[in-house]
Amino acid sequence: LFLPKGVLHNSSAQWWQRSKLVDFLDEAYCGTISFEVTHLPSLDQRRWWYQAAETPRAAWLPSPQRRRSLLIRLLRGTLFMPFLRRKFPSTKWFGIDGCEALICGLFRLFYRSAQHGVETIELGM
């Protein structure tokens, strides 16, 4: 358990109340997101993941405009698949069924890569 400095020690009190600490840990480790980091060889990498898990979920929420753009990308990808099935019924192809969230992840990866000067990205299956 890697709690950032200042989490257990509150400026207004020496220690948090037990109920508040339990609520904090419940939100961090008993939510809908899970991850496995024990296989990572670097302590720094594991610590980064633990600290990310212990960051309050409110800090993760994108702005309403960003959420709307994510929804539009998901809808485009989801609605594009039935179109391809109708347009090319006899063609064998691999769809994105079950991996719709990958669309948003790849878009963000490409966007951030371009910000850092990457000019070419090659993907393979």
Side-chain angles (χ1 to χ4, degrees), residues 7-48:
V7 170
L8 292 177
H9 300 287
N10 195 336
S11 60
S12 63
Q14 188 174 4
W15 297 97
W16 279 26
Q17 294 177 356
R18 183 180 56 146
S19 61
K20 289 184 180 182
L21 180 61
V22 168
D23 290 342
F24 171 79
L25 294 174
D26 184 55
E27 180 185 352
Y29 290 102
C30 299
T32 57
I33 297 175
S34 66
F35 55 93
E36 176 60 44
V37 298
T38 56
H39 68 282
L40 295 173
S42 169
L43 178 62
D44 291 334
Q45 290 176 345
R46 289 193 304 270
R47 184 172 285 133
W48 185 92

Short mmCIF file of all heavy atoms in Angstrom, two decimals, residues 7-48:
data_model
loop_
_atom_site.label_atom_id
_atom_site.label_comp_id
_atom_site.label_asym_id
_atom_site.label_seq_id
_atom_site.Cartn_x
_atom_site.Cartn_y
_atom_site.Cartn_z
N VAL A 7 -1.63 12.01 3.05
CA VAL A 7 -2.94 11.36 3.04
C VAL A 7 -3.32 10.90 4.43
O VAL A 7 -4.42 11.14 4.91
CB VAL A 7 -2.96 10.18 2.04
CG1 VAL A 7 -4.23 9.38 2.20
CG2 VAL A 7 -2.85 10.70 0.64
N LEU A 8 -2.39 10.24 5.12
CA LEU A 8 -2.69 9.77 6.46
C LEU A 8 -2.57 10.88 7.50
O LEU A 8 -3.20 10.83 8.53
CB LEU A 8 -1.77 8.61 6.84
CG LEU A 8 -2.01 7.33 6.05
CD1 LEU A 8 -1.00 6.27 6.46
CD2 LEU A 8 -3.41 6.81 6.26
N HIS A 9 -1.75 11.87 7.22
CA HIS A 9 -1.58 12.97 8.15
C HIS A 9 -2.32 14.18 7.61
O HIS A 9 -1.92 14.75 6.61
CB HIS A 9 -0.10 13.30 8.36
CG HIS A 9 0.68 12.14 8.89
ND1 HIS A 9 0.56 11.71 10.19
CD2 HIS A 9 1.55 11.30 8.30
CE1 HIS A 9 1.34 10.66 10.38
NE2 HIS A 9 1.95 10.40 9.24
N ASN A 10 -3.38 14.55 8.25
CA ASN A 10 -4.18 15.68 7.85
C ASN A 10 -3.65 16.94 8.54
O ASN A 10 -3.21 16.88 9.67
CB ASN A 10 -5.64 15.41 8.25
CG ASN A 10 -6.59 16.36 7.56
OD1 ASN A 10 -6.19 17.44 7.16
ND2 ASN A 10 -7.82 15.95 7.42
N SER A 11 -3.73 18.08 7.86
CA SER A 11 -3.20 19.31 8.47
C SER A 11 -4.05 19.77 9.65
O SER A 11 -3.55 20.39 10.58
CB SER A 11 -3.11 20.42 7.42
OG SER A 11 -4.40 20.68 6.90
N SER A 12 -5.35 19.46 9.63
CA SER A 12 -6.21 19.90 10.72
C SER A 12 -6.20 18.92 11.89
O SER A 12 -6.57 19.28 13.00
CB SER A 12 -7.64 20.08 10.22
OG SER A 12 -8.15 18.84 9.77
N ALA A 13 -5.79 17.70 11.66
CA ALA A 13 -5.71 16.70 12.73
C ALA A 13 -4.48 15.84 12.48
O ALA A 13 -4.01 15.73 11.36
CB ALA A 13 -6.97 15.83 12.74
N GLN A 14 -3.99 15.22 13.54
CA GLN A 14 -2.79 14.41 13.38
C GLN A 14 -3.07 13.16 12.54
O GLN A 14 -2.26 12.77 11.72
CB GLN A 14 -2.24 14.00 14.74
CG GLN A 14 -0.89 13.33 14.63
CD GLN A 14 -0.27 13.06 15.98
OE1 GLN A 14 -0.88 13.31 17.01
NE2 GLN A 14 0.94 12.55 15.98
N TRP A 15 -4.23 12.53 12.74
CA TRP A 15 -4.58 11.32 11.99
C TRP A 15 -5.99 11.45 11.46
O TRP A 15 -6.82 12.14 12.02
CB TRP A 15 -4.53 10.09 12.90
CG TRP A 15 -3.16 9.82 13.44
CD1 TRP A 15 -2.68 10.19 14.65
CD2 TRP A 15 -2.11 9.15 12.77
NE1 TRP A 15 -1.38 9.79 14.78
CE2 TRP A 15 -1.01 9.14 13.64
CE3 TRP A 15 -1.99 8.55 11.52
CZ2 TRP A 15 0.20 8.56 13.29
CZ3 TRP A 15 -0.79 7.98 11.17
CH2 TRP A 15 0.28 7.98 12.06
N TRP A 16 -6.25 10.77 10.34
CA TRP A 16 -7.62 10.71 9.81
C TRP A 16 -8.46 9.83 10.71
O TRP A 16 -7.94 8.92 11.36
CB TRP A 16 -7.61 10.10 8.42
CG TRP A 16 -7.25 11.04 7.34
CD1 TRP A 16 -6.48 12.16 7.44
CD2 TRP A 16 -7.65 10.94 5.98
NE1 TRP A 16 -6.36 12.76 6.22
CE2 TRP A 16 -7.08 12.03 5.31
CE3 TRP A 16 -8.42 10.05 5.27
CZ2 TRP A 16 -7.27 12.25 3.96
CZ3 TRP A 16 -8.60 10.26 3.92
CH2 TRP A 16 -8.04 11.35 3.27
N GLN A 17 -9.74 10.04 10.66
CA GLN A 17 -10.66 9.13 11.34
C GLN A 17 -10.65 7.81 10.59
O GLN A 17 -10.49 7.76 9.37
CB GLN A 17 -12.07 9.69 11.37
CG GLN A 17 -12.22 10.93 12.20
CD GLN A 17 -13.64 11.47 12.14
OE1 GLN A 17 -14.49 10.95 11.41
NE2 GLN A 17 -13.89 12.51 12.90
N ARG A 18 -10.84 6.73 11.34
CA ARG A 18 -10.79 5.40 10.74
C ARG A 18 -11.83 5.26 9.62
O ARG A 18 -11.54 4.71 8.56
CB ARG A 18 -11.03 4.33 11.80
CG ARG A 18 -10.91 2.93 11.25
CD ARG A 18 -11.14 1.92 12.30
NE ARG A 18 -12.45 2.17 12.91
CZ ARG A 18 -13.24 1.23 13.36
NH1 ARG A 18 -12.87 0.00 13.36
NH2 ARG A 18 -14.40 1.52 13.87
N SER A 19 -13.03 5.79 9.82
CA SER A 19 -14.08 5.65 8.81
C SER A 19 -13.70 6.36 7.51
O SER A 19 -13.96 5.85 6.42
CB SER A 19 -15.40 6.20 9.34
OG SER A 19 -15.28 7.58 9.64
N LYS A 20 -13.04 7.52 7.61
CA LYS A 20 -12.62 8.23 6.40
C LYS A 20 -11.51 7.47 5.68
O LYS A 20 -11.49 7.41 4.45
CB LYS A 20 -12.17 9.64 6.74
CG LYS A 20 -13.31 10.54 7.13
CD LYS A 20 -12.83 11.95 7.36
CE LYS A 20 -14.01 12.83 7.74
NZ LYS A 20 -13.61 14.22 7.93
N LEU A 21 -10.59 6.90 6.43
CA LEU A 21 -9.52 6.12 5.81
C LEU A 21 -10.08 4.88 5.13
O LEU A 21 -9.69 4.55 4.00
CB LEU A 21 -8.47 5.72 6.85
CG LEU A 21 -7.30 4.89 6.32
CD1 LEU A 21 -6.54 5.67 5.26
CD2 LEU A 21 -6.39 4.50 7.45
N VAL A 22 -11.03 4.20 5.78
CA VAL A 22 -11.65 3.02 5.19
C VAL A 22 -12.40 3.40 3.92
O VAL A 22 -12.33 2.70 2.90
CB VAL A 22 -12.58 2.31 6.21
CG1 VAL A 22 -13.43 1.26 5.53
CG2 VAL A 22 -11.75 1.69 7.32
N ASP A 23 -13.10 4.53 3.94
CA ASP A 23 -13.80 4.99 2.73
C ASP A 23 -12.82 5.28 1.60
O ASP A 23 -13.06 4.93 0.44
CB ASP A 23 -14.62 6.25 3.03
CG ASP A 23 -15.82 5.98 3.91
OD1 ASP A 23 -16.23 4.79 4.02
OD2 ASP A 23 -16.36 6.95 4.48
N PHE A 24 -11.68 5.91 1.95
CA PHE A 24 -10.66 6.22 0.95
C PHE A 24 -10.10 4.94 0.32
O PHE A 24 -10.01 4.82 -0.90
CB PHE A 24 -9.53 7.02 1.62
CG PHE A 24 -8.32 7.21 0.74
CD1 PHE A 24 -8.32 8.16 -0.25
CD2 PHE A 24 -7.19 6.42 0.92
CE1 PHE A 24 -7.21 8.33 -1.06
CE2 PHE A 24 -6.08 6.58 0.13
CZ PHE A 24 -6.09 7.55 -0.86
N LEU A 25 -9.75 3.98 1.15
CA LEU A 25 -9.19 2.72 0.65
C LEU A 25 -10.24 1.91 -0.11
O LEU A 25 -9.93 1.24 -1.09
CB LEU A 25 -8.62 1.90 1.81
CG LEU A 25 -7.40 2.53 2.49
CD1 LEU A 25 -7.00 1.72 3.71
CD2 LEU A 25 -6.25 2.66 1.52
N ASP A 26 -11.50 1.99 0.33
CA ASP A 26 -12.58 1.30 -0.37
C ASP A 26 -12.74 1.85 -1.78
O ASP A 26 -12.88 1.09 -2.74
CB ASP A 26 -13.88 1.44 0.42
CG ASP A 26 -15.01 0.66 -0.20
OD1 ASP A 26 -14.85 -0.57 -0.40
OD2 ASP A 26 -16.06 1.27 -0.50
N GLU A 27 -12.70 3.17 -1.90
CA GLU A 27 -12.81 3.78 -3.23
C GLU A 27 -11.62 3.40 -4.11
O GLU A 27 -11.76 3.15 -5.30
CB GLU A 27 -12.91 5.30 -3.12
CG GLU A 27 -13.04 5.97 -4.48
CD GLU A 27 -13.00 7.49 -4.40
OE1 GLU A 27 -13.02 8.05 -3.30
OE2 GLU A 27 -12.94 8.10 -5.47
N ALA A 28 -10.44 3.35 -3.51
CA ALA A 28 -9.23 3.07 -4.28
C ALA A 28 -9.13 1.61 -4.72
O ALA A 28 -8.72 1.33 -5.85
CB ALA A 28 -7.99 3.44 -3.46
N TYR A 29 -9.51 0.66 -3.86
CA TYR A 29 -9.24 -0.74 -4.14
C TYR A 29 -10.46 -1.63 -4.30
O TYR A 29 -10.32 -2.81 -4.61
CB TYR A 29 -8.34 -1.32 -3.04
CG TYR A 29 -6.95 -0.75 -3.11
CD1 TYR A 29 -6.55 0.25 -2.23
CD2 TYR A 29 -6.04 -1.17 -4.07
CE1 TYR A 29 -5.29 0.80 -2.29
CE2 TYR A 29 -4.78 -0.62 -4.14
CZ TYR A 29 -4.41 0.36 -3.25
OH TYR A 29 -3.16 0.90 -3.33
N CYS A 30 -11.66 -1.11 -4.11
CA CYS A 30 -12.86 -1.95 -4.21
C CYS A 30 -13.82 -1.44 -5.27
O CYS A 30 -15.02 -1.69 -5.20
CB CYS A 30 -13.56 -2.03 -2.86
SG CYS A 30 -12.55 -2.75 -1.57
N GLY A 31 -13.34 -0.70 -6.24
CA GLY A 31 -14.19 -0.16 -7.29
C GLY A 31 -14.32 -1.12 -8.46
O GLY A 31 -14.10 -2.33 -8.34
N THR A 32 -14.63 -0.57 -9.61
CA THR A 32 -14.86 -1.38 -10.81
C THR A 32 -13.59 -1.56 -11.64
O THR A 32 -13.62 -2.29 -12.62
CB THR A 32 -15.94 -0.74 -11.68
OG1 THR A 32 -15.53 0.60 -12.00
CG2 THR A 32 -17.27 -0.69 -10.95
N ILE A 33 -12.51 -0.91 -11.28
CA ILE A 33 -11.26 -1.02 -12.03
C ILE A 33 -10.29 -1.87 -11.22
O ILE A 33 -10.13 -1.69 -10.02
CB ILE A 33 -10.64 0.36 -12.29
CG1 ILE A 33 -11.57 1.19 -13.15
CG2 ILE A 33 -9.28 0.22 -12.95
CD1 ILE A 33 -11.10 2.61 -13.36
N SER A 34 -9.66 -2.82 -11.88
CA SER A 34 -8.65 -3.63 -11.20
C SER A 34 -7.40 -3.69 -12.06
O SER A 34 -7.45 -3.47 -13.27
CB SER A 34 -9.19 -5.04 -10.93
OG SER A 34 -9.39 -5.71 -12.14
N PHE A 35 -6.29 -3.99 -11.43
CA PHE A 35 -5.03 -4.11 -12.15
C PHE A 35 -4.10 -5.01 -11.36
O PHE A 35 -4.25 -5.19 -10.17
CB PHE A 35 -4.40 -2.73 -12.39
CG PHE A 35 -4.20 -1.93 -11.14
CD1 PHE A 35 -3.01 -1.97 -10.46
CD2 PHE A 35 -5.21 -1.13 -10.65
CE1 PHE A 35 -2.83 -1.25 -9.31
CE2 PHE A 35 -5.04 -0.39 -9.51
CZ PHE A 35 -3.84 -0.46 -8.83
N GLU A 36 -3.15 -5.58 -12.07
CA GLU A 36 -2.17 -6.47 -11.46
C GLU A 36 -0.79 -5.91 -11.76
O GLU A 36 -0.43 -5.74 -12.92
CB GLU A 36 -2.32 -7.88 -12.03
CG GLU A 36 -1.29 -8.86 -11.54
CD GLU A 36 -1.34 -9.03 -10.02
OE1 GLU A 36 -2.44 -9.15 -9.48
OE2 GLU A 36 -0.27 -9.04 -9.40
N VAL A 37 -0.03 -5.61 -10.72
CA VAL A 37 1.28 -4.99 -10.92
C VAL A 37 2.41 -5.74 -10.26
O VAL A 37 3.57 -5.33 -10.38
CB VAL A 37 1.28 -3.52 -10.44
CG1 VAL A 37 0.29 -2.68 -11.22
CG2 VAL A 37 1.00 -3.45 -8.96
N THR A 38 2.12 -6.84 -9.58
CA THR A 38 3.18 -7.54 -8.87
C THR A 38 4.23 -8.15 -9.81
O THR A 38 5.33 -8.43 -9.38
CB THR A 38 2.60 -8.65 -7.97
OG1 THR A 38 1.82 -9.53 -8.77
CG2 THR A 38 1.74 -8.05 -6.88
N HIS A 39 3.88 -8.32 -11.08
CA HIS A 39 4.84 -8.88 -12.03
C HIS A 39 5.85 -7.85 -12.52
O HIS A 39 6.85 -8.21 -13.13
CB HIS A 39 4.09 -9.48 -13.22
CG HIS A 39 3.42 -8.44 -14.07
ND1 HIS A 39 2.23 -7.84 -13.70
CD2 HIS A 39 3.78 -7.88 -15.24
CE1 HIS A 39 1.89 -6.96 -14.62
NE2 HIS A 39 2.82 -6.96 -15.56
N LEU A 40 5.59 -6.57 -12.28
CA LEU A 40 6.49 -5.53 -12.76
C LEU A 40 7.80 -5.57 -11.97
O LEU A 40 7.79 -5.59 -10.74
CB LEU A 40 5.85 -4.15 -12.62
CG LEU A 40 4.61 -3.92 -13.48
CD1 LEU A 40 3.97 -2.59 -13.13
CD2 LEU A 40 4.97 -3.98 -14.96
N PRO A 41 8.94 -5.59 -12.65
CA PRO A 41 10.22 -5.72 -11.96
C PRO A 41 10.63 -4.46 -11.21
O PRO A 41 11.36 -4.53 -10.23
CB PRO A 41 11.20 -6.04 -13.07
CG PRO A 41 10.59 -5.48 -14.30
CD PRO A 41 9.10 -5.58 -14.10
N SER A 42 10.17 -3.30 -11.65
CA SER A 42 10.61 -2.04 -11.07
C SER A 42 9.68 -1.59 -9.95
O SER A 42 8.46 -1.49 -10.14
CB SER A 42 10.65 -0.97 -12.17
OG SER A 42 10.83 0.30 -11.60
N LEU A 43 10.25 -1.27 -8.82
CA LEU A 43 9.47 -0.76 -7.70
C LEU A 43 8.85 0.59 -8.05
O LEU A 43 7.73 0.89 -7.66
CB LEU A 43 10.35 -0.62 -6.45
CG LEU A 43 9.68 -0.05 -5.22
CD1 LEU A 43 8.53 -0.95 -4.76
CD2 LEU A 43 10.68 0.14 -4.10
N ASP A 44 9.58 1.39 -8.83
CA ASP A 44 9.04 2.69 -9.25
C ASP A 44 7.79 2.52 -10.11
O ASP A 44 6.82 3.28 -9.96
CB ASP A 44 10.08 3.49 -10.03
CG ASP A 44 11.22 3.97 -9.14
OD1 ASP A 44 10.98 4.12 -7.92
OD2 ASP A 44 12.33 4.17 -9.65
N GLN A 45 7.77 1.54 -11.01
CA GLN A 45 6.59 1.29 -11.83
C GLN A 45 5.42 0.83 -10.98
O GLN A 45 4.29 1.30 -11.15
CB GLN A 45 6.88 0.24 -12.90
CG GLN A 45 7.81 0.71 -13.99
CD GLN A 45 8.15 -0.40 -14.97
OE1 GLN A 45 7.93 -1.58 -14.71
NE2 GLN A 45 8.69 -0.02 -16.12
N ARG A 46 5.68 -0.08 -10.05
CA ARG A 46 4.60 -0.54 -9.16
C ARG A 46 4.07 0.61 -8.32
O ARG A 46 2.86 0.76 -8.15
CB ARG A 46 5.10 -1.68 -8.28
CG ARG A 46 5.33 -2.98 -9.04
CD ARG A 46 5.51 -4.15 -8.10
NE ARG A 46 6.57 -3.99 -7.13
CZ ARG A 46 7.84 -4.34 -7.32
NH1 ARG A 46 8.20 -4.90 -8.45
NH2 ARG A 46 8.75 -4.15 -6.37
N ARG A 47 4.97 1.41 -7.80
CA ARG A 47 4.56 2.55 -6.98
C ARG A 47 3.69 3.50 -7.80
O ARG A 47 2.70 4.02 -7.31
CB ARG A 47 5.78 3.26 -6.43
CG ARG A 47 5.42 4.41 -5.49
CD ARG A 47 6.64 4.99 -4.81
NE ARG A 47 7.06 4.04 -3.77
CZ ARG A 47 8.31 3.65 -3.59
NH1 ARG A 47 9.26 4.07 -4.38
NH2 ARG A 47 8.60 2.80 -2.64
N TRP A 48 4.04 3.75 -9.06
CA TRP A 48 3.24 4.63 -9.92
C TRP A 48 1.82 4.09 -10.05
O TRP A 48 0.85 4.85 -9.95
CB TRP A 48 3.91 4.76 -11.30
CG TRP A 48 3.20 5.74 -12.18
CD1 TRP A 48 3.47 7.07 -12.30
CD2 TRP A 48 2.10 5.47 -13.06
NE1 TRP A 48 2.60 7.64 -13.20
CE2 TRP A 48 1.76 6.68 -13.68
CE3 TRP A 48 1.38 4.32 -13.38
CZ2 TRP A 48 0.72 6.79 -14.60
CZ3 TRP A 48 0.33 4.43 -14.29
CH2 TRP A 48 0.02 5.64 -14.90
#
